[in-house]
Amino acid sequence: MYNEIYMKFISKRSNIGIIRNAVSALIVDANPTITFLNELKTVISEAITNCIVHGYDNQEDKYIEMNVKVDDEKVSCDIIDYGKGIEDIEQAREPLFSTKKEEERSGLGFTIMEMFCDTFTVESKVNEGTKLHFSKKW
């Protein structure tokens, strides 16, 4: 089994549910467990929220790109924003670290994403954006 989708969407929070449902529909033929599906949807929600909140400072006129690939072994996903970028990736990946403490952000986004993925990488350049890549085996 192999399938792939590419999406480019506006950085609106209301799009998160649409994207989660699109990915769910993409992988339904693989007969994922409810746990697998919920974990994948959580990772996608966290990643897109990071793009919106941290990459774009909640601006709703920017774009996020997402590429999802499905094969017999796993789901792989790239999520890309062209926002502020991350100055210190290692610090950003520390549990409870947040650049938005005034918004009462918990700083657990990367921790949650890593916990639910088999592979998880972050590439970022200041003022150019961030790319998350993750995969999750069946």
Side-chain angles (χ1 to χ4, degrees):
M1 177 184 123
Y2 178 79
N3 205 349
E4 180 175 4
I5 58 172
Y6 167 80
M7 295 177 270
K8 182 176 181 179
F9 51 93
I10 300 249
S11 56
K12 289 187 174 200
R13 290 176 197 241
S14 60
N15 285 336
I16 295 172
I18 296 166
I19 304 309
R20 287 168 43 122
N21 289 333
V23 173
S24 296
L26 176 72
I27 68 171
V28 73
D29 286 343
N31 199 26
T33 65
I34 295 296
T35 300
F36 183 95
L37 195 55
N38 285 337
E39 289 176 356
L40 181 63
K41 288 163 65 172
T42 298
V43 173
I44 289 168
S45 295
E46 290 291 333
I48 294 171
T49 299
N50 275 357
C51 294
I52 295 168
V53 172
H54 299 289
Y56 293 138
D57 282 329
N58 294 304
Q59 295 175 352
E60 293 189 341
D61 61 344
K62 305 298 182 186
Y63 285 94
I64 299 168
E65 296 180 26
M66 183 170 169
N67 193 58
V68 183
K69 296 178 184 178
V70 180
D71 63 33
D72 291 332
E73 298 177 9
K74 66 185 177 302
V75 174
S76 300
C77 184
D78 294 317
I79 298 177
I80 303 165
D81 72 58
Y82 298 93
K84 294 177 7 179
I86 301 170
E87 288 184 34
D88 186 337
I89 293 173
E90 293 306 313
Q91 183 182 38
R93 290 177 79 159
E94 290 177 12
L96 305 179
F97 175 79
S98 178
T99 59
K100 303 280 186 181
K101 294 219 184 256
E102 70 280 358
E103 295 181 13
E104 297 184 19
R105 297 253 159 223
S106 66
L108 292 172
F110 282 151
T111 303
I112 291 167
M113 287 185 269
E114 276 187 284
M115 183 174 62
F116 289 148
C117 295
D118 294 302
T119 65
F120 182 79
T121 59
V122 181
E123 300 171 30
S124 191
K125 290 186 180 177
V126 174
N127 298 320
E128 291 184 27
T130 302
K131 176 181 178 180
L132 297 181
H133 173 80
F134 63 86
S135 65
K136 186 167 180 58
K137 295 179 184 175
W138 304 111

